[in-house]
Amino acid sequence: MIEIKNLTKSFGPNLVWEDVSLTIDDGETLAVIGKSGSGKSVLMKHLNVLLYPDSGDVLIDGVNVFDMRYARLRKLRQRFGVLFQGAALFDSITAFENVAFPLRYFSDLENREIEERVMESLELVQLQDIGNKTPAELSGGMKKRVGLARAIVLKPDYLLYDEPTSGLDPQTSDEINDMIINMADTLDITSIVITHDMHSVLRVADNVAFLDEQKLSWYGSIEELRTSNHQALNDFIKASEYTI
């Protein structure tokens, strides 16, 4: 369980948001939505302590992550897999080596075990036959899926998705949404999805957090989202040209 308690963050004089509090249950898929600049990715970076807040706490299984010393923090970060917005693959190495990279850096596995783990991850994203290709030989959707395979190869407890369908056509976006659902179901993993894509939100999420006006403006389930009379939330959804 992740508990976010009274979190406030500024960059210099610029307040991002203040007093953000919510709980993410084990196995839940939470979508974090909001306008550009509302601090969605900033919030995500607090969960694996890439950023520290001005005040407030993030507790994982009851332990405040901001109080951890480096050795323990390093192990905590390995519990998080991240799918970056642009996939963030290394262009100079193959898809196989991109997925293997965390294992070579963070584990003591032998080469045979690494190969088995990489192939298992590529199979989960239905790309078991492209290991010898470089990122330049892959489509945008395939790059995202290789990035997802890399994100799960250490068998994390939490998956962070940063705009997973950004820049993809509708069909490929649906394939990525299916992957998010499949990861949650197959791996019994907790997922946090940063997105502007309301179609994706309605497909994959259990709960939704809406950041607006420098605060957590609305939080609730998909069912509550469909019937909400929160004006700013409804305006955001309407602007997305998606009808719920």
Side-chain angles (χ1 to χ4, degrees), residues 34-238:
K35 301 173 186 175
S36 297
S38 61
K40 302 183 297 297
S41 295
V42 172
L43 180 62
M44 183 177 76
K45 290 175 182 177
H46 282 75
L47 303 183
N48 58 354
V49 204
L50 295 179
L51 289 174
Y52 284 81
D54 300 337
S55 61
D57 303 306
V58 170
L59 277 62
I60 295 182
D61 299 332
V63 178
N64 191 343
V65 299
F66 303 127
D67 291 339
M68 290 182 177
R69 294 185 180 274
Y70 177 74
R72 191 174 183 188
L73 185 56
R74 193 168 183 265
K75 290 184 178 179
L76 171 75
R77 286 174 177 152
Q78 291 176 41
R79 297 179 63 188
F80 285 85
V82 182
L83 176 59
F84 298 97
Q85 182 172 347
L89 302 180
F90 299 109
D91 292 333
S92 59
I93 58 177
T94 64
F96 179 96
E97 287 301 328
N98 266 280
V99 179
F101 182 82
L103 295 173
R104 300 198 191 283
Y105 189 75
F106 291 114
S107 80
D108 297 321
L109 296 178
E110 300 292 336
N111 283 335
R112 179 185 58 79
E113 296 171 299
I114 289 174
E115 182 174 353
E116 290 175 356
R117 186 79 71 85
V118 169
M119 294 310 298
E120 176 185 299
S121 295
L122 286 172
E123 186 172 355
L124 279 171
V125 299
Q126 300 173 12
L127 289 178
Q128 58 268 35
D129 298 324
I130 59 86
N132 64 340
K133 294 184 180 295
T134 64
E137 299 175 278
L138 304 178
S139 67
M142 293 170 76
K143 289 178 183 177
K144 288 283 181 82
R145 287 154 66 185
V146 171
L148 181 53
R150 184 177 61 188
I152 64 175
V153 75
L154 285 173
K155 299 185 181 298
D157 298 312
Y158 309 100
L159 261 178
L160 307 178
Y161 297 88
D162 191 4
E163 299 286 359
T165 60
S166 176
L168 302 178
D169 63 80
Q171 182 175 352
T172 305
S173 294
D174 275 344
E175 292 172 0
I176 297 299
N177 289 330
D178 289 341
M179 293 288 172
I180 295 172
I181 295 167
N182 186 52
M183 293 301 108
D185 292 343
T186 303
L187 304 178
D188 191 26
I189 207 164
T190 304
S191 306
I192 297 93
V193 183
I194 307 298
T195 186
H196 292 97
D197 184 347
M198 288 307 302
H199 176 72
S200 181
V201 170
L202 295 171
R203 281 285 306 278
V204 308
D206 300 306
N207 292 304
V208 179
F210 174 53
L211 296 176
D212 187 56
E213 297 294 331
Q214 299 173 318
K215 64 182 183 294
L216 177 60
S217 185
W218 187 90
Y219 173 81
S221 68
I222 289 295
E223 291 74 19
E224 291 168 325
L225 179 76
R226 294 180 186 278
T227 58
S228 172
N229 59 5
H230 188 287
Q231 188 62 52
L233 175 64
N234 290 339
D235 288 346
F236 177 83
I237 295 169
K238 183 178 179 180

